[in-house]
Amino acid sequence: MFSSTPLTGARTILTGASSGIGWALAKQMARAGARVVVASRNQDRLAELASSIGASGGEAWSVPTDVTDPAQRTALLERALAVLGGLDILVNNAGAGAMGYFALASEERLRRVFEVDFFACTELTRLALPLLRAGNQPMVVNVGSVIGRRGIPGCSEYCAAKFALAGWSESLRAELAQHGVHVLLVSPGAIETGFHQNLLDDQLRFGWQQRGGMSADRCAAIIMRALRRRPNEVTITAGGKLLVWLNRLVPRAVDAIMVRLARPDRLADRRAVPSE
Ligand SMILES: NC(=O)c1ccc[n+]([C@@H]2O[C@H](COP(=O)([O-])OP(=O)(O)OC[C@H]3O[C@@H](n4cnc5c(N)ncnc54)[C@H](OP(=O)(O)O)[C@@H]3O)[C@@H](O)[C@H]2O)c1
């Protein structure tokens, strides 16, 4: 049986809070009594979030931040320390995808995806570690993806960055255990958010990439349970669990499905197709 850790008073930094999963999670964490510094680039959305949390009796501070900028990461940590007086939970949730075949993309796209989905998380965590080590039941929460557990065609850079995040999370968990800092990896499947409108690059879409998914509120509720129970990893959505499970059980069959999915005749939106 899992014991359950209350979140009351948990001093938290949550990135990527201006929409989607981060927005829903900020509200649920604040409702559970966490004190939350919310960070992302959209200042107006963050201010709206902080004021709506405040109006419902919670505590939140908005700190506009581009997590790919080292100076802004430092400023975020300094502001969080000033308002919270310490840090118990860091949620690395900010993220962005890019769609299109690898062969038709550039090194620049690969590096941009890694800056947001990997390096921003590692370097914000590096800055936060001294505070976390002094925190109460401290935890780093990395929001990865099920496609950071099984690669799919059409977004290879994003899959690679989320795989990197998963591997780094496993290593970090082992290293930080002696300091009492837990590392939780969250691997969502398809969630209905602005993710597909906020892509760093949008060269093509497959039909199956345009299906709906679980609501952000439901996804946040599952993350909330994981924050309390502190497992090593939580995989979200039935489809996501099925993909990971099938890939363990019959990897070659999943490979064959992926080959079929990558064919140009599966494209829903032919903006960039590979040359014959
Ligand atoms: N939706 C899905 O199906 C799905 C599935 C698996 C994993 N995920 C992961 O879940 C996390 C949240 O995504 P979402 O679905 O909620 O998508 P979303 O609605 O597009 O939210 C992404 C958040 O990341 C922030 N962000 C992006 N680039 C940033 C930057 N450079 N600096 C600071 N913040 C930045 C955005 O805010 P600003 O634009 O204001 O900066 C926004 O708040 C991401 O890590 C994503 O990879 C999503």
Side-chain angles (χ1 to χ4, degrees):
M1 282 290 282
F2 285 104
S3 63
S4 186
T5 309
L7 294 171
T8 318
R11 297 162 297 179
T12 302
I13 294 176
L14 169 54
T15 69
S18 63
S19 68
I21 297 169
W23 175 279
L25 186 59
K27 289 200 159 195
Q28 293 187 28
M29 288 191 77
R31 208 176 302 139
R35 304 171 64 222
V36 192
V37 165
V38 288
S40 57
R41 292 164 302 176
N42 189 324
Q43 193 163 353
D44 293 344
R45 287 280 292 168
L46 284 185
E48 184 189 335
L49 174 63
S51 88
S52 114
I53 287 174
S56 6
E59 282 188 281
W61 295 262
S62 75
V63 182
T65 308
D66 182 338
V67 292
T68 65
D69 179 335
Q72 294 189 42
R73 288 193 295 260
T74 301
L76 169 61
L77 253 296
E78 286 170 357
R79 179 83 183 115
L81 182 58
V83 296
L84 299 174
L87 188 65
D88 305 314
I89 302 177
L90 169 64
V91 186
N92 288 309
N93 168 71
M99 297 285 184
Y101 290 116
F102 176 77
L104 298 176
S106 61
E107 179 183 345
E108 195 244 337
R109 183 169 88 181
L110 175 64
R111 290 187 183 277
R112 279 174 68 208
V113 170
F114 263 79
E115 284 299 335
V116 185
D117 293 313
F118 183 65
F119 290 118
C121 307
T122 59
E123 297 320 303
L124 187 59
T125 303
R126 195 189 303 280
L127 286 177
L129 276 179
L131 291 182
L132 285 168
R133 284 174 62 168
N136 300 321
Q137 298 188 292
M139 181 164 21
V140 177
V141 181
N142 293 324
V143 180
S145 173
V146 289
I147 60 174
R149 289 311 209 176
R150 162 71 224 195
I152 63 167
C155 49
S156 60
E157 298 94 344
Y158 178 75
C159 288
K162 294 294 192 182
F163 262 86
L165 191 69
W168 171 69
S169 300
E170 287 175 359
S171 297
L172 193 70
R173 183 180 305 124
E175 292 182 15
L176 296 184
Q178 63 193 308
H179 303 294
V181 181
H182 182 57
V183 178
L184 164 64
L185 176 65
V186 177
S187 300
I191 312 297
E192 271 195 71
T193 66
F195 184 79
H196 287 274
Q197 284 75 55
N198 300 332
L199 298 170
L200 293 169
D201 190 24
D202 192 5
Q203 291 293 319
L204 63 81
R205 295 293 178 94
F206 295 96
W208 47 269
Q209 284 170 325
Q210 292 177 335
R211 289 188 201 133
M214 179 185 278
S215 74
D217 280 334
R218 174 87 189 106
C219 176
I222 294 169
I223 299 173
M224 286 294 290
R225 193 173 56 191
L227 291 176
R228 292 188 168 107
R229 296 184 173 189
R230 301 166 75 90
N232 289 344
E233 181 171 355
V234 59
T235 306
I236 302 176
T237 80
K241 285 179 186 165
L242 184 66
L243 176 66
V244 172
W245 180 76
L246 279 179
N247 192 51
R248 263 184 217 140
L249 211 65
V250 282
R252 297 198 58 168
V254 178
D255 282 345
I257 294 168
M258 294 303 162
V259 169
R260 285 175 60 81
L261 290 180
R263 288 191 334 218
D265 61 324
R266 294 293 176 124
L267 292 179
D269 178 355
R270 294 168 156 273
R271 255 169 280 183
V273 296
S275 48
E276 298 300 321

